[in-house]
Amino acid sequence: MQIGVDSFVSTGKRGAVGDARRVQELLEEIELADQVGLSCFGIGEHHRPDYVSSAPAVLLAAAATRTKHIRLSSAVTVLSSDDPVRVFQQFATLDLISQGRAELMVGRGSFIESYPLFGYDLSDYESLAGEKLELLLKIRASEHVTWSGQHRAPLTGQGVYPRPLQQPLPIFVGVGGSPDSVVRAAKLGLPLAIAIIGGSPKQFRPLADLYRQTWSEVGRAPNDAIVVVHNLGFLADTTQEALDTFWPAYREVFGGIGRERGWAPPSRPQFDAQCGELGALQVGSAEAITEKLAKEHEWLGGIARVNLLLDNRALSHAQIMRSIELLGTKVAPLLRDL
């Protein structure tokens, strides 16, 4: 099982100067992840004032020039509100810059700001997702594309350039819990990325099973079905230190989201339960996280990769760096031994 890191480039540093500093910190974090041998670094697209990640491909391209081995991915690209031609061009370019280390994870996102920002109607939520993924895959498969749809001008044989170094460019489908999206990924032959940010990983086994079952039903080799997972996490030298450090950060972020969406604010007992043996949060010492990830691997019937979202605007750069260091130097080797 590969281990990686995800980031939404959270920032509490308001204004251009603060955002510039956060971007430099991000690049240092990706460099460290590369140095300690982690497999992947993903950046999730967001269009909100508390994130500096509206253009993941640009940030990943900057990181490509400062790293050697780590794979560089979106996590996710909100394809429904973007142009598949431009998305492919951006990540093909990233693939050239990184010498074949780019990945593209597409999904519908956890927030909706991008839809009105780019002129899309939320009533078209479902049709946008299916149509744009169809076009993206046609572009990946062929240099010249003939295609027509509802939400974009047709293509009549135009070429899409540049072409990536990897053939094909890896494309993952990120899902939060939609069975329809899981089935779509399997039928299209694409790896599945499941975001598990609450509840218990055990609850997501039906999604993994549905993906593998559909994959086999359409005639694909079962061993080729790839499931990866996105978790929230934070590591420190002891589990108690990790819990006490991460709780205020978790409370601030999820309390804010809760106020927007009408959820009750998180409580410390709920948080501790989520960090416990059956919970979805990967918060603790390196040894504790190794044990939880091994169980998650078993519960979901095998995971190819787990990426932990480690950043939070209430955490310091030094705390995030230490978490990355522990993940690469302790958790990854312990998991390999298991």
Side-chain angles (χ1 to χ4, degrees):
M1 181 170 61
Q2 297 179 349
I3 305 296
V5 175
D6 284 338
S7 175
F8 298 161
V9 204
S10 300
T11 181
K13 307 171 177 67
R14 294 287 181 245
V17 173
D19 288 350
R21 178 182 170 189
R22 181 67 190 99
V23 167
Q24 292 307 309
E25 291 173 351
L26 171 75
L27 296 177
E28 291 174 11
E29 290 159 12
I30 301 175
E31 278 189 284
L32 178 60
D34 185 48
Q35 292 165 6
V36 299
L38 292 175
S39 298
C40 178
F41 202 105
I43 295 178
E45 177 188 345
H46 288 82
H47 300 268
R48 297 167 64 89
D50 43 348
Y51 302 110
V52 194
S53 58
S54 62
V58 178
L59 296 171
L60 294 168
T65 66
R66 299 169 62 156
T67 56
K68 296 180 179 179
H69 306 292
I70 197 166
R71 298 190 66 77
L72 301 167
S73 176
S74 57
V76 300
T77 292
V78 186
L79 184 64
S80 301
S81 59
D82 212 330
D83 181 355
V85 174
R86 290 299 285 153
V87 168
F88 183 87
Q89 290 174 327
Q90 290 161 5
F91 280 83
T93 302
L94 171 63
D95 201 52
L96 300 179
I97 295 169
S98 66
Q99 290 294 290
R101 291 185 284 130
E103 294 179 359
L104 176 56
M105 185 182 295
V106 299
R108 291 183 270 191
S110 55
F111 296 99
I112 63 170
E113 288 84 0
S114 65
Y115 291 85
L117 182 64
F118 296 113
Y120 291 99
D121 192 328
L122 280 171
S123 65
D124 296 324
Y125 192 76
E126 293 293 336
S127 61
L128 282 165
E131 179 178 297
K132 293 203 172 189
L133 181 55
E134 173 195 317
L135 176 54
L136 180 67
L137 294 178
K138 281 186 173 291
I139 295 168
R140 182 177 73 160
S142 179
E143 179 178 324
H144 295 273
V145 181
T146 299
W147 174 92
S148 64
Q150 178 183 355
H151 301 290
R152 190 200 186 280
L155 295 174
T156 56
Q158 296 96 324
V160 179
Y161 308 105
R163 307 307 294 181
L165 193 62
Q166 297 178 90
Q167 293 294 335
L169 179 71
I171 297 176
F172 293 70
V173 174
V175 303
S178 166
D180 289 343
S181 296
V182 169
V183 169
R184 180 186 294 125
K187 287 183 174 180
L188 293 172
L190 300 176
L192 181 72
I194 305 175
I196 303 177
I197 62 175
S200 171
K202 280 187 172 183
Q203 298 171 318
F204 291 82
R205 178 62 182 262
L207 288 182
D209 286 346
L210 175 62
Y211 172 73
R212 296 185 178 108
Q213 177 185 342
T214 307
W215 183 278
S216 297
E217 286 175 351
V218 296
R220 295 192 172 87
N223 288 341
D224 292 339
I226 296 173
V227 175
V228 304
V229 169
H230 163 95
N231 286 145
L232 301 184
F234 178 72
L235 285 78
D237 292 307
T238 68
T239 293
Q240 193 60 52
E241 179 189 352
L243 292 170
D244 292 342
T245 301
F246 193 63
W247 160 240
Y250 179 88
R251 178 183 58 197
E252 178 182 334
V253 170
F254 280 86
I257 295 173
R259 287 189 294 274
E260 291 180 14
R261 302 185 180 184
W263 301 343
S267 69
R268 181 62 191 256
Q270 291 170 335
F271 170 77
D272 288 340
Q274 283 290 289
C275 297
E277 181 181 359
L278 299 178
L281 297 181
Q282 303 288 351
V283 179
S285 66
E287 293 76 15
I289 297 308
T290 300
E291 184 176 343
K292 283 197 70 171
L293 290 177
K295 288 179 179 176
E296 186 171 57
H297 178 76
E298 177 184 350
W299 289 338
L300 294 177
I303 304 169
R305 178 193 294 161
V306 172
N307 272 27
L308 298 190
L309 179 68
L310 296 177
D311 74 328
N312 181 298
R313 61 178 175 269
L315 296 175
S316 71
H317 176 50
Q319 289 168 332
I320 296 169
M321 292 284 277
R322 179 58 176 159
S323 196
I324 292 171
E325 181 183 4
L326 289 170
L327 197 60
T329 60
K330 292 193 173 183
V331 173
L334 287 170
L335 278 172
R336 282 195 292 269
D337 289 342
L338 288 175

